[in-house]
Amino acid sequence: MLFAHDTEVALVAAAALVNTTGSDGEKLPDLAALDDFFRAYGWTGGREHTEAELRAVQALRPRLRRIWEADEDEVVEIVNALLRESNALPQLVKHDEWDYHLHATPADAPLATRMAVEAAMALVDVVRSGELSRLRVCEHPDCGDVVVDLSKNRSKRFCDAGCGNRAAVSAYRARKAAARG
Ligand SMILES: [Zn+2]
Ligand SMILES: [Zn+2]
């Protein structure tokens, strides 16, 4: 394991959140979609189930996306701002099926705040380990989704939405065309 388990879970969830908006449209259009996302990525704690909650989560996405595109100094600025704005206070907690891990917001803080701080805390680990290069954008030209490479040999180039297969098929076709030509 590259990072602590909660860090890896948080990075994957942050990437998934960023990827709910992109080339193939809005994947968090309403509260029902937010409910599904919340469950799918193992979120716990309080919910408001309001339009304001949905809008706050949607508004977090471009800020998190910058983390995948910015250089280290700018990432640090974003991460520090997210932690400062949310009055993050790291505490070890244990709940549900999870053993001790870090929470830096109370369970009743707004969902967008908890999502922001969880991502920021994970990024603290990534920056401190000098591993920012593991945050990449999918290399498929038509994609643009963000990717977290947690592989041992840093080999992940494509997102999990099938771009690796699409790229392999294109490469195969190009080879065949070249062989014919
Ligand atoms: Zn937790
Ligand atoms: Zn992709």
Side-chain angles (χ1 to χ4, degrees):
M1 195 166 48
L2 186 59
F3 301 107
H5 179 68
D6 53 338
T7 294
E8 297 194 350
V9 168
L11 291 173
V12 169
L17 178 61
V18 168
N19 291 338
T20 59
T21 178
S23 50
D24 48 344
E26 175 60 76
K27 290 183 212 141
L28 283 185
D30 50 32
L31 281 167
L34 182 59
D35 289 347
D36 289 344
F37 183 84
F38 184 88
R39 273 192 300 271
Y41 287 91
W43 285 92
T44 58
R47 289 286 309 280
E48 290 166 20
H49 292 285
T50 60
E51 284 299 312
E53 177 184 59
L54 174 65
R55 279 194 299 274
V57 171
Q58 288 171 338
L60 174 61
R61 297 177 301 188
R63 273 185 101 183
L64 292 184
R65 187 179 175 97
R66 264 318 283 161
I67 292 171
W68 266 260
E69 294 162 343
D71 65 16
E72 186 179 56
D73 289 340
E74 193 191 336
V75 169
V76 166
E77 268 175 44
I78 296 167
V79 167
N80 283 345
L82 290 171
L83 294 173
R84 214 166 39 233
E85 286 164 23
S86 314
N87 296 312
L89 176 67
Q91 300 279 287
L92 282 163
V93 296
K94 212 188 227 186
H95 63 86
D96 300 281
E97 74 271 30
W98 305 95
D99 202 352
Y100 280 120
H101 60 286
L102 276 175
H103 278 198
T105 46
D108 60 353
L111 179 60
T113 302
R114 285 182 283 132
M115 286 178 159
V117 169
E118 190 180 283
M121 292 296 290
L123 261 298
V124 165
D125 273 8
V126 175
V127 171
R128 287 168 67 232
S129 318
E131 294 284 3
L132 263 185
S133 63
R134 291 181 177 274
L135 305 189
R136 309 204 188 106
V137 175
C138 174
E139 286 183 19
H140 196 284
D142 303 330
C143 182
D145 277 8
V146 298
V147 172
V148 180
D149 183 1
L150 297 172
S151 68
K152 254 201 186 101
N153 54 358
R154 301 166 185 270
S155 56
K156 192 176 171 77
R157 295 165 53 211
F158 300 103
C159 72
D160 297 323
C163 287
N165 286 333
R166 287 203 282 160
V169 169
S170 312
Y172 173 73
R173 290 206 185 113
R175 274 198 306 276
K176 272 184 88 168
R180 273 199 307 270

